[in-house]
Amino acid sequence: MKLNVPTDCDNAPKRRLIKDFIIALYKNEFETIANGIEDEFEFKIIGHKTISNKEELRKYLNKNVEALELTLDEVLSHGKFGACNGTYKTKKEEMFFAYFFEFKSAGKNTIKIISEYKIANHI
């Protein structure tokens, strides 16, 4: 997969975690994802459903399409919150996405809640 990601995330631990989490998400590296989330978490797929256990999350990720290119435009963090947005491309489509993160606390780097928004580019 071709990656286009910010290189300035390495001095902010939560920004680096978000960047690495999203890359793992689109590479379907479940162990990396599972290690970054709390045992009790919510993965909100906006407009669809909420996943709250790791096995269900694994099944959801296995259904994801294979991204050929991943671009992260912005990665932000403040206190116990973070966000990122970007695009990914497959053989058939381009999708815009945004993820919003809530960590366990400002000092703890494990994710408690993730909200996923996706919009297909139909141009």
Side-chain angles (χ1 to χ4, degrees):
M1 169 185 352
K2 180 179 178 187
L3 294 174
N4 306 302
V5 297
T7 57
D8 64 345
C9 293
D10 291 335
N11 63 345
K14 282 193 173 60
R15 288 181 69 210
R16 183 176 54 247
L17 184 91
I18 291 168
K19 178 183 80 169
D20 292 345
F21 185 90
I22 295 299
I23 291 170
L25 192 68
Y26 284 95
K27 286 186 170 184
N28 200 11
E29 295 173 348
F30 184 74
E31 293 307 315
T32 301
I33 295 164
N35 290 334
I37 57 179
E38 288 286 311
D39 289 334
E40 294 184 19
F41 71 96
E42 289 184 352
F43 190 98
K44 298 176 181 180
I45 305 160
I46 304 304
H48 186 58
K49 66 179 182 173
T50 297
I51 296 171
S52 58
N53 70 65
K54 291 182 181 181
E55 188 53 38
E56 192 177 342
L57 181 59
R58 180 191 301 269
K59 288 176 186 175
Y60 172 71
L61 296 177
N62 283 337
K63 292 179 185 176
N64 272 350
V65 294
E66 184 177 333
L68 302 174
E69 183 174 348
L70 175 66
T71 300
L72 289 178
D73 294 321
E74 289 95 17
V75 180
L76 310 169
S77 69
H78 182 75
K80 70 176 192 171
F81 299 102
C84 73
N85 70 312
T87 59
Y88 70 86
K89 295 178 184 176
T90 68
K91 290 180 182 178
K92 297 181 181 180
E93 65 184 352
E94 177 181 41
M95 293 289 281
F96 300 100
F97 63 77
Y99 290 89
F100 294 86
F101 298 87
E102 181 180 335
F103 293 87
K104 184 171 183 174
S105 69
K108 186 97 165 132
N109 287 341
T110 53
I111 300 166
K112 181 178 163 184
I113 300 172
I114 305 164
S115 298
E116 174 187 77
Y117 296 80
K118 289 184 178 178
I119 302 170
N121 183 2
H122 295 291
I123 295 176

